């Protein structure tokens, strides 16, 4: 008798994957919320499990430990900023920088973005911490590059690209510390205002 | 017989006080260095005692606990910023704001200044934490006030004082995270460049 061919239904498979993916999403969102609210040291896996109404053993199915979890959350936010790193090469360097900063600012106003700061502040090591360090250096390098290119194409005033990039990063990372989702300004509005203020400077233009 | 008047020598008294004061200074400096290097959670009173070559019981004579110690360090830095809050009332609002920002930036480049961020990030409560929150709010309020006054006297471009103050605080608090005392730029140079960049903006002035 010929061996019966077992066909794995793609539908069944997809459903299981979709279900797992959906649960993983819920875990990441609960973790982002918890870490953004309470920081690294005051958040436990118990807190996150409680937010989801699941047991800690169930949570362990999605994350081995706290570092893995906060890193997974922060990595997603980092990826969203990195998406904006390649601007429209036809635009001026200033326009490309503004595009990157707008993205960066908006991400920092989300719970996921706050977790970038949580990971950096808590000096989390391992692959998650390394990834975050590397990603932030990549963003820093791109900002410096655009600042330098901008003095060449005339769209950005001459300055110190390294210090200016640090200044911008400080201003944008700060959003993670004070932004209030229930506040009067949306993340997009804050991003817009920050970019405009950084571009125009404090002194009036005559 | 007349009661003998006992005269407490001011010199002996001053010496003891001076000695205690000197030791307290050493404790504060060692604490500032430790907290600035390793943050709140990874610094212990044992570390600080070890840096001073003293025992923990001796250290307890100067600080009841970690929170007291980091708060005492941060309070000194805060006081240095607050000294610059009252600018020269004859100057434009922009000049007064620049004066405050220069001070603020310079303090943030010191170990003591970094401890302001350590206290805020670690959400330290009690009188020390409250003092820090209050002090930072006072600086924020003064920056907003000067930003508003500046649009009246024409020295500052119209903007959103609240958001601009947040932006500035983010940029300056960031100095505490990256400034390297052994680096090429002094704290004063960083402060100067930051103030100039914030004032001029990214876009070239024509």
């Amino acid at each position: 008798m010929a061996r019966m061919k077992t066909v794995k239904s793609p539908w069944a498979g997809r459903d299981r994957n979709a279900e797992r993916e959906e649960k993983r999403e819920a875990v990441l969102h609960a973790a982002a919320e918890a870490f953004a609210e309470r920081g690294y040291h005051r958040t436990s896996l118990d807190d996150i499990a409680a937010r989801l109404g699941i047991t800690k053993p169930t949570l362990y199915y999605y994350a081995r430990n706290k570092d893995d979890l906060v890193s997974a959350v922060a990595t997603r936010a980092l990826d969203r900023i990195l998406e904006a790193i390649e601007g429209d090469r036809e635009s001026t360097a200033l326009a490309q920088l503004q595009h990157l900063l707008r993205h960066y600012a908006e991400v920092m106003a989300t719970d996921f973005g706050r977790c970038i700061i949580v990971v950096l502040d808590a000096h989390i090591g391992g692959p998650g911490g390394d990834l975050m360090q590397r990603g932030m250096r990549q963003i820093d390098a791109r900002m410096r590059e655009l600042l330098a290119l901008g003095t060449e194409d005339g769209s950005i005033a001459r300055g110190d690209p390294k210090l200016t990039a640090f200044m911008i990063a400080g201003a944008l990372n700060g959003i993670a510390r004070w932004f209030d989702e229930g506040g009067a300004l949306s993340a997009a509005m804050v991003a817009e205002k920050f970019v405009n203020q950084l571009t125009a400077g404090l002194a009036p233009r005559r």
Side-chain angles (χ1 to χ4, degrees), chain A:
Chain A
M1 196 173 123
R3 231 174 77 208
M4 205 170 80
K5 214 168 137 192
T6 57
V7 178
K8 189 171 163 252
S9 159
W11 303 111
R14 199 161 68 185
D15 281 348
R16 270 201 303 278
N17 283 340
E19 201 185 306
R20 182 173 158 86
E21 202 38 58
E22 203 183 299
K23 284 180 178 165
R24 190 175 153 76
E25 272 306 297
V27 167
L28 289 182
H29 277 86
E33 202 180 85
F35 286 117
E37 261 177 47
R38 305 178 49 82
Y40 179 77
H41 293 282
R42 297 188 305 155
T43 301
S44 67
L45 289 184
D46 282 316
D47 294 339
I48 295 165
R51 277 173 201 255
L52 291 159
I54 61 176
T55 63
K56 206 154 93 173
T58 306
L59 185 58
Y60 278 128
Y61 185 60
Y62 299 93
R64 272 173 311 174
N65 55 46
K66 210 164 93 166
D67 285 11
D68 271 12
L69 200 47
V70 73
S71 298
V73 169
T75 300
R76 177 172 302 182
L78 179 69
D79 286 345
R80 273 193 55 204
I81 305 177
L82 290 174
E83 277 166 20
I85 244 182
E86 293 303 324
D88 174 3
R89 299 272 171 177
E90 305 285 295
S91 309
T92 62
L94 179 61
Q96 290 184 64
L97 181 63
Q98 289 171 324
H99 173 72
L100 171 56
L101 301 193
R102 218 171 280 121
H103 250 72
Y104 188 163
E106 282 194 41
V107 170
M108 283 300 165
T110 66
D111 284 344
F112 280 76
R114 274 171 204 174
C115 289
I116 294 179
I117 304 301
V118 169
V119 167
L120 296 174
D121 281 359
H123 301 277
I124 288 175
D130 291 350
L131 194 71
M132 208 50 48
Q133 297 280 355
R134 220 165 35 239
M136 293 308 269
R137 274 203 300 274
Q138 206 179 331
I139 294 165
D140 179 57
R142 180 62 175 158
M143 291 198 297
R144 291 189 202 190
E145 185 185 32
L146 287 171
L147 287 164
L149 286 171
T151 62
E152 282 167 34
D153 74 16
S155 60
I156 295 178
R158 199 164 293 283
D160 183 326
K162 182 178 162 183
L163 278 195
T164 303
F166 278 157
M167 196 191 83
I168 293 171
L172 302 191
N173 293 346
I175 296 173
R177 299 173 201 280
W178 59 260
F179 184 75
D180 170 15
E181 268 179 82
L185 290 176
S186 69
M189 281 159 81
V190 167
E192 193 61 30
K193 279 172 182 265
F194 261 49
V195 172
N196 290 344
Q197 178 65 64
L198 285 165
T199 304
L202 294 169
R205 294 181 175 252
R206 324 237 175 226

